[in-house]
Amino acid sequence: MTLLDREPAVPGCVPAPAGPRPEGIAPGSGGTGVTAPVGRYLRTVRHLRAGQVVARVRLRGRRAVLTRIPIVVTPAREEVGGGWPAAFVPFDGRIPPPESGVTEAGVTEIRHGRLSLLGHSRVLFPAEAGPEAADWEQADAPLLWRYHLHYWDWAWNLARAGDPSWGSEMFTRLYRSWRATDRPGRGVSWSPYVVSLRAWTLCALGPRLAYGTPVGDTIRHDLGLHRSFLRANRETDVGGNHLLKNLKALLGLAVAARDRADGRRWLDRLMVEIDRQILTDGGHYERAPAYHCQVLADLDDVIGLLSAADIPVPAGLPAATASMRAWLATVMGPDGALPLLNDGYPPGPGVLDELLRGSTPAGDEVPEPRSQRTRSPESAGPPVAREETRPAAAAAARSAARSILLADTGLVTMTAGPWHVLADVGVACPDDLPAHAHADTLSFLLWHGDVAVLVDTGTSTYDRGPTRDAERGSAAHSTVTVDDTDSSETWGAFRVGRRARPRLSEVACTSAGVDMTASHDGFRHLPGRPTHTRRWTLTQSGLRVDDKVTGAGVHHVRVFLHFPPGFEVSRPSVGGSPGILDVRMPTVPARTLRVRAAGDGTWSLVTRHRATGWQTASPATTAIYLVTSTLPVHVRTEITAEPPDAIRTAQSGDRPETPGENDA
C-alpha cells in the first residue's frame, strides 16, 4: 500500500554508511568477546514460538531451491479469470499518493521515465527509449525502494490520469516490460510480502487498466501464479502485519476468482489472526501507531470488498476496526498528528482522516475501545475514561485533568490545562515479534496547546547499521539510560534480545491533575541490578517528572529530552543555574518554556537528527542531564510555560527543590 507500507522485515538489508554511534547512544550490553553475539542471539530466539522456527527453516529452504531450480518447485499456474465488483475502490484508490501530491504531477513524472517512491525519485526508463527499456532491477537502489517498485501500487497514478487511454497504454507497456524480465519465485519481486501487495494492486487495477488489452490475459494468468505462490509461502515465521497482508491478498484473489469456498477459508484464518493481533483496548499488538494504521486500512479494505461482493461480513471484523479507530483517535496528538512510536513513517495527506472515517456509517460516532469505561475524576483506581474520541486543539484549553489508559498496548494519555502527555509504560513488543520495537520504555511525548514540545527521534531507515541502532536505542527517546545501555536489547535491523519488564504502579486522576508512576527492570543485567522508576505529575501549570534509579554501585544516569526541529534551547544568559534551560517555540514566539532539573548533575545540549521520512532527517536539539553517582540517583525535571518577561527576570534562586528520597 503506497501510503502506509514502509517495509518488509527481511534479512539482507542494504547497510547504512558506516560511522560512529553518536555520543550518549550505545547498544545494549550483551557480554564481551565472542560470547556476546551468541548470547544476544539466544536471548532473542528464546521468545519465538516453535512454529515460527519451523516455518522459517521451511520458507528459507524453499526459497533457496527456487533460486537454483525454479521450475521444479514453482507452483502450477492457474488463472484468476474474474474480477472485483466495479463499485469497490480500495484504500489506495481513495487516497492520492504522497509522492505526487497532485495526481497529474505523478503522471507527468512517469511520462518522463521517472518514479518517486518513499519521497525519492529515480529513473525507471530513458524517456527517449520508452517503457520497454525500463530497469526493473534497480540494483543500486536501497532494498526498501526496490520493494516498493514491485508493489506496483504507484500505478494508481495511471488509473487517475486525465487521459484514460494513455494511462491504459502506459500500464500495458510497463507491465509487459516488467513481465519480460521478472523471474517467478525469485528475487526481491517474489518476497511473499511484496507478492501480497502486488496481487492486491493487480486485482484492483487489472479491470481498470488492463482487461481488454493485449496484457489482460497475462495478468489473469499471473494472478493465478501469485495465488499459488502465496498459498505455499504465507509468512507464518514472521506473523504480524505480514501474515495479515498475505491473508488479505489470498482473500482478494479468491473473490476475484469467484471462489467462495476458498474465500471463506482465508477469511476464517484472517479472523483468527485478528482475534490474536488486535488487543482488547483496540491497539495492534506490534505497538507501532504507523503499523496500526496500515492494519486498520487493510481491514477496512476487506470489509469494503466483502460488502461489495455480497459476502457476509463476520461481526468481529467491524467490531475490531471500530475499536482500532477509537484507539487511533486516542493516541493522536492535539496537533492532529500521528505519534511515531516504535517504527514507522508519517502517513500521507488525508490518510488519518480516511482511517478515522473508514467503514463507519456516515454520521455514526467512532465507538470507544472495548476495554474503556467511563469514570469520574474523583473515583478510585486507574483512569480509563475517554470524554471524546477525536483530538482537537480546543481540548487543551479545558481546565479539567483527564487521563486515558490503553492497558494492553501500554500507553497512557494525560491532559491538564494546555498540557498533553502520551507516555509509554508497556512492553516493547510481542514476545514473538520484535521487528518494529524500540528501547523506549517509560518514554513520553509532550504537547503545549497544539504544539509538540518533546518528540521521538523517529525512523529514517530499516537498513542495518549505526543509524538504525541509534534510532531504536533508549537515547533516541525522552527517557533514561544507565551506563549508556538500552532498556531493551535492540540489535540488527529487526531484533530484540533482553527486554525491559515494565510495571504500572499507579494512575491517579483528580480535578487538580494526573499522577502516574511506572518502573522497569531493563538494566537488571548491569552490576548492582539498577531499576528505573518514573513518576509523572501533570497539572495546569506544567509537568514534573521524577526519575529514580535504585540499585547498588556507581553508575552514569542520563535523562534525555528531545525537542523538535526549530526549537531554540539555551541556558539563561543572566542568573541561570546549571539545572535551567530556556526553550523557545518557533510557532508561539510569545511563549517560552522553562526546564528546571534538580539533582547532582548538569545539562548538556547536543544536536541530533529527527527523522522526517525515509532517509530524510532534520537537525534538532537534545538535552541530556548527566548524573554520575552511587545509586540511588534521583532527578526531578520540571517543564513550565512562562511569559518572556518572567524568563528574563528569573534569578538563579528559582532552581527547584532537590528531591528527597521518598518523593518518587
Side-chain angles (χ1 to χ4, degrees):
M1 211 161 63
T2 301
L3 303 170
L4 298 172
D5 299 326
R6 301 300 187 191
E7 52 101 29
V10 295
C13 293
V14 178
R21 192 177 177 110
E23 173 192 356
I25 300 180
S29 174
T32 59
V34 296
T35 61
V38 175
R40 187 173 59 184
Y41 188 81
L42 292 176
R43 288 190 292 273
T44 302
V45 173
R46 65 181 290 266
H47 295 281
L48 299 179
R49 291 176 283 110
Q52 287 180 283
V53 177
V54 172
R56 176 62 59 91
V57 173
R58 176 179 60 82
L59 290 172
R60 288 196 172 180
R62 180 180 177 81
R63 194 164 183 83
V65 174
L66 273 169
T67 301
R68 291 167 176 78
I69 323 172
I71 194 170
V72 173
V73 291
T74 299
R77 182 177 303 196
E78 58 183 272
E79 182 174 302
V80 174
W84 288 346
F88 172 60
V89 180
F91 192 89
D92 285 342
R94 301 195 302 269
I95 302 293
E99 285 80 16
S100 63
V102 178
T103 298
E104 197 56 39
V107 171
T108 300
E109 186 178 47
I110 293 176
R111 285 182 187 271
H112 290 87
R114 298 190 67 87
L115 192 60
S116 287
L117 301 172
L118 298 164
H120 293 254
S121 179
R122 296 179 63 88
V123 174
L124 181 60
F125 59 85
E128 65 278 6
E132 291 72 19
D135 174 15
W136 296 102
E137 182 67 22
Q138 296 287 327
D140 61 338
L143 181 65
L144 191 57
W145 200 97
R146 295 161 65 199
Y147 270 91
H148 277 256
L149 172 65
H150 294 288
Y151 293 165
W152 271 85
D153 48 8
W154 47 266
W156 276 100
N157 273 326
L158 303 177
R160 302 184 184 102
D163 182 353
S165 62
W166 177 87
S168 180
E169 178 188 359
M170 179 59 73
F171 181 86
T172 297
R173 295 173 67 187
L174 285 167
Y175 194 82
R176 275 180 163 175
S177 170
W178 176 80
R179 197 62 190 84
T181 59
D182 183 62
R183 297 170 296 171
R186 305 169 69 180
V188 169
S189 64
W190 284 87
S191 177
Y193 188 87
V194 176
V195 173
S196 297
L197 273 85
R198 185 170 61 249
W200 186 264
T201 298
L202 293 179
C203 282
L205 291 181
R208 289 173 169 83
L209 293 173
Y211 292 176
T213 73
V215 82
D217 288 341
T218 302
I219 289 180
R220 290 187 179 94
H221 283 292
D222 285 352
L223 286 175
L225 180 58
H226 284 56
R227 190 181 182 193
S228 298
F229 180 87
L230 286 176
R231 284 172 178 159
N233 291 277
R234 298 188 309 281
E235 293 174 274
T236 52
D237 59 328
V238 177
N241 71 84
H242 280 233
L243 185 55
L244 290 177
K245 197 73 76 178
N246 302 156
L247 296 172
K248 173 191 174 185
L250 283 164
L251 175 58
L253 287 162
V255 172
R258 309 287 197 268
D259 188 345
R260 292 212 166 200
D262 197 49
R264 284 193 297 271
R265 172 191 179 192
W266 301 120
L267 181 57
D268 288 346
R269 296 196 180 188
L270 179 66
M271 294 307 300
V272 170
E273 283 302 311
I274 289 172
D275 188 58
R276 191 169 74 90
Q277 294 191 32
I278 308 306
L279 304 175
T280 55
D281 63 10
H284 183 247
Y285 83 147
E286 291 187 61
R287 294 168 174 82
Y291 285 92
H292 179 99
C293 289
Q294 179 192 129
V295 171
L296 176 55
D298 285 339
L299 299 186
D300 274 342
D301 267 353
V302 169
I303 292 175
L305 177 59
L306 294 176
S307 300
D310 198 26
I311 298 173
V313 178
L317 190 49
T321 57
S323 65
M324 292 183 74
R325 234 178 297 287
W327 186 96
L328 175 60
T330 299
V331 303
M332 284 171 58
D335 53 358
L338 181 72
L340 296 177
L341 306 175
N342 291 319
D343 275 348
Y345 297 87
V351 169
L352 295 178
D353 288 342
E354 183 68 25
L355 288 174
L356 289 173
R357 182 167 52 247
S359 57
T360 303
D364 286 3
E365 292 187 6
V366 177
E368 293 183 343
R370 286 172 278 174
S371 66
Q372 303 286 7
R373 56 183 177 84
T374 304
R375 70 184 294 282
S376 64
E378 293 78 18
S379 63
V384 294
R386 66 189 312 268
E387 299 183 0
E388 59 185 16
T389 57
R390 293 182 180 272
R398 299 178 183 175
S399 59
R402 300 178 303 284
S403 178
I404 303 170
L405 170 65
L406 298 168
D408 295 290
T409 42
L411 297 179
V412 180
T413 67
M414 297 178 281
T415 304
W419 300 94
H420 183 82
V421 170
L422 177 63
D424 187 345
V425 297
V427 297
C429 57
D431 283 346
D432 57 356
L433 184 53
H436 297 300
H438 288 200
D440 58 354
T441 307
L442 304 194
S443 67
F444 69 101
L445 310 179
L446 176 67
W447 288 262
H448 182 265
D450 59 357
V451 179
V453 174
L454 294 178
V455 298
D456 271 352
T457 295
T459 303
S460 67
T461 182
Y462 286 157
D463 294 347
R464 186 185 299 113
T467 299
R468 177 70 170 155
D469 291 344
E471 290 177 347
R472 298 181 77 199
S474 295
H477 307 83
S478 294
T479 186
V480 167
T481 65
V482 177
D483 297 339
D484 294 330
T485 301
D486 295 336
S487 57
S488 291
E489 189 182 18
T490 55
W491 65 284
F494 300 105
R495 294 174 176 173
V496 180
R498 186 184 297 106
R499 290 111 192 257
R501 297 177 296 197
R503 179 177 181 270
L504 178 61
S505 301
E506 177 190 23
V507 185
C509 184
T510 69
S511 57
V514 184
D515 271 304
M516 180 173 69
T517 303
S519 60
H520 76 83
D521 63 354
F523 307 120
R524 62 188 180 276
H525 59 288
L526 297 176
R529 299 181 64 83
T531 297
H532 175 210
T533 300
R534 170 167 275 187
R535 178 182 179 184
W536 293 263
T537 303
L538 185 69
T539 67
Q540 297 182 53
S541 301
L543 174 67
R544 188 182 81 190
V545 179
D546 287 284
D547 288 302
K548 190 171 184 179
V549 180
T550 57
V554 176
H555 295 273
H556 305 291
V557 176
R558 286 182 169 88
V559 180
F560 290 83
L561 299 179
H562 296 277
F563 297 94
F567 275 51
E568 297 180 10
V569 185
S570 61
R571 297 180 179 84
S573 57
V574 178
S577 76
I580 295 179
L581 299 174
D582 288 341
V583 182
R584 297 188 180 275
M585 301 186 292
T587 55
V588 190
R591 180 68 67 183
T592 300
L593 304 181
R594 171 146 283 187
V595 179
R596 301 175 176 88
D600 297 325
T602 57
W603 288 109
S604 62
L605 301 177
V606 297
T607 300
R608 296 285 180 262
H609 79 268
R610 305 289 181 266
T612 55
W614 182 66
Q615 294 193 344
T616 59
S618 298
T621 299
T622 294
I624 307 172
Y625 193 81
L626 170 63
V627 177
T628 300
S629 177
T630 302
L631 300 185
V633 167
H634 188 180
V635 177
R636 173 174 293 168
T637 308
E638 296 179 357
I639 304 176
T640 57
E642 304 180 29
D645 288 346
I647 293 292
R648 284 194 294 269
T649 59
Q651 301 298 317
S652 59
D654 64 1
R655 179 182 175 122
E657 178 185 356
T658 300
E661 286 299 307
N662 298 320
D663 288 348

